Amino acid sequence: MAYTYKSVTADCIVITREAEPRVLLIQRGNPPFKGAWAFPGGFMDMDETTEQCAIRELEEETGLRVLDMHQIGAYSKVDRDPRGTITVAYTTTYYSRMRKSTKTGHFILTIYGI
């Protein structure tokens, strides 16, 4: 029997530690959903865990470096992403001011009142 494998991605939900917490989003630079706002994340490399992937992607896309991540779920609904990916989501908190990434040019948006 032949097997078809799905790609695995990891997303990171970053919440600030402030009186009014904010959530970090990036504006997608590639299809699908180019230009849409999303949580930082991306495809897992073959030699890393999903947690390592979330940490790496967060740093690559935003310049933020965090070490403490907490898995909050895995999402695999067949039609939720046109690429057919399985996504593992993580959350972390961040204590400093969010800024525009100097590495990739992605933009960071803050949302109030979470």
Side-chain angles (χ1 to χ4, degrees), residues 35-104:
W37 293 102
F39 296 120
F43 289 94
M44 186 174 84
D45 290 338
M46 294 301 291
D47 63 344
E48 67 186 351
T49 66
T50 55
E51 183 177 12
Q52 290 167 333
C53 175
I55 291 168
R56 175 183 54 78
E57 286 287 342
L58 178 64
E59 185 173 8
E60 286 178 3
E61 294 184 356
T62 69
L64 298 180
R65 178 106 171 109
V66 299
L67 301 175
D68 187 31
M69 293 268 190
H70 302 282
Q71 185 177 330
I72 58 171
Y75 304 92
S76 60
K77 186 176 175 188
V78 175
D79 60 352
R80 67 164 213 90
D81 184 313
R83 300 166 295 179
T85 61
I86 296 168
T87 298
V88 180
Y90 288 85
T91 188
T92 189
T93 54
Y94 193 73
Y95 296 90
S96 292
R97 191 174 81 98
M98 292 185 193
R99 64 195 180 337
K100 183 177 178 184
S101 171
T102 56
K103 211 172 208 183
T104 64

